[in-house]
Amino acid sequence: MPEDVAAREVLEDARALAASGEWAKLVALVTSLHPADLAELVLDLSEETRRDLLGRLPFRCRRPAL
């Protein structure tokens, strides 16, 4: 259960950062995630936000998320 709460908080933070255009903070947040968690988060974002985020991630982080 605590993992679900933490995952929800990360997703909410990610959405808020994307909505406010704070891409550098968003990238810093998501690059610290395990690749499986990053992929799950990316799939939970809207298509437009997903594209924007993937375009800003370093290649080493993008590959496992795709």
Side-chain angles (χ1 to χ4, degrees), residues 9-65:
E9 288 176 358
V10 169
L11 182 57
E12 289 172 10
D13 290 347
R15 284 186 178 139
L17 291 169
S20 64
E22 297 188 60
W23 293 104
K25 289 181 182 179
L26 177 57
V27 168
L29 172 70
V30 301
T31 54
S32 66
L33 297 175
H34 183 276
D37 295 329
L38 174 58
E40 187 174 332
L41 178 130
V42 167
L43 291 173
D44 284 340
L45 296 172
S46 71
E47 186 175 339
E48 181 180 349
T49 302
R50 184 182 315 139
R51 271 190 258 130
D52 286 343
L53 174 59
L54 289 174
R56 289 173 166 81
L57 286 177
F59 182 74
R60 66 179 172 77
C61 295
R62 270 187 299 190
R63 183 138 192 195

